[in-house]
Amino acid sequence: MVGKENLRTEDLNLCFEKLMMLVGGGDGMDVGAKGVKIDGGVIAGWKDIPMELLLQIVSLVDDRTVIVASGVCRGWRDAICFGLIHLSLSWCKKNMNNLVLSLAPKFARLQTLILRQDKPQLADDAVETIASNCHDLQVLDLSKSFKLSDLSLYALAHGCRDLKKLNISGCIAFSDTALAYLARYCGKLKVLNLCGCVKAASDTALQAIGQFCNHLQSVNLGWCENVSDVGVMSLAYGCPDLRTLDLCGCVLITDDSVIALANMCPHLRSLGLYYCQNITDRAMYSLAHSCIKNKPTKWGTGKGKNDDDGLRTLNISQCTALTPPAVQAVCDSFPALHTCSGRHSLIMSGCLNLMSVHCACAVQAHRTPTAFPHSAH
């Protein structure tokens, strides 16, 4: 493991040289053969770096170097552990679990911890250690942690109540009971990625999320095939600040879900409905109509909105029940939805019957060549 006992003098010197090269070009610093001159003094070796400068340097180097630096001496360890708030261990291809067990008690002030894995390494004891020590944590990425069980969610619920962003996509072992429990205690959540969490993302869990996590702005429910209108409508009614919702592959949802979102979530900017084949024109017209409703603002009504208001991304690929007039109505209502080349934000692949739907600029681009005839040669 990372620690002073594993560091040789040449390792420390190499670490020092790397740190100095990164910081040497800064204001008031001069790199010479004898070291780095700063404020009238000379930093000739790793032991001479002031703590304030060390923290500035640490913010510039990669996470591996930060971990090595924390093992140099007690002074460096204390300074880094006190000042480090962002850490990613996604580069670790093996032994990530042991690394987390070693580091979490030291880096207790972490606010962001990224533990994304290509191959599952984390076990519940690592997450429990995080929850026991990192109480300031706001952003946690545990995606593809196939080995984790409900014990991890229960631990986070008690130890990390300031969580604002949680990514547990691909964590297939979590249950909806544990997710509902987490929602009860982590009411500050704003971003929640549940993509592929087939067992956890149920209507029961979403009802709890809608009840307790009222600040949610982004939710990914991609390929959570057990989610129905009950769950989505709970989100719509409980989380009025929703801006991004991915329902791709949620095959059970119907127009009722979209209608609830259109009526209750005025800030919705991105909606994914890929392969939701129960969606019909009724849902599209509800979205189009939501744009022209008189929504109260501090100036009065919602009229006079600019192009950045309303939907900016809509994925209706493989929604084969939709017809061109209904989709065109949505496109006309939200100027930020584009079908033109290079700006595709209205995604309709697999819907050959929607080939006639175009945004305003695409229509204009099609007409422009005929508006200006070629000059005679």
Side-chain angles (χ1 to χ4, degrees), residues 165 189-192 213-220 235-247 260-262 264-272 287 308-315 334 337:
K165 296 182 180 181
L189 279 171
K190 290 187 175 182
V191 178
L192 183 59
C213 303
N214 308 125
H215 303 291
L216 272 175
Q217 296 181 358
S218 176
V219 182
N220 189 336
L235 286 180
Y237 283 92
C239 309
D241 201 28
L242 265 182
R243 302 177 184 206
T244 299
L245 180 59
D246 193 339
L247 297 171
L261 293 167
M264 304 306 299
C265 301
H267 306 295
L268 194 64
R269 298 293 177 263
S270 178
L271 180 60
L287 288 174
D308 289 332
D309 290 323
L311 280 175
R312 300 174 189 173
T313 304
L314 177 62
N315 187 343
F334 300 104
L337 289 178

Side-chain angles (χ1 to χ4, degrees), residues 340 360-369:
C340 51
C361 54
V363 173
Q364 183 63 31
H366 179 72
R367 292 175 178 173
T368 298

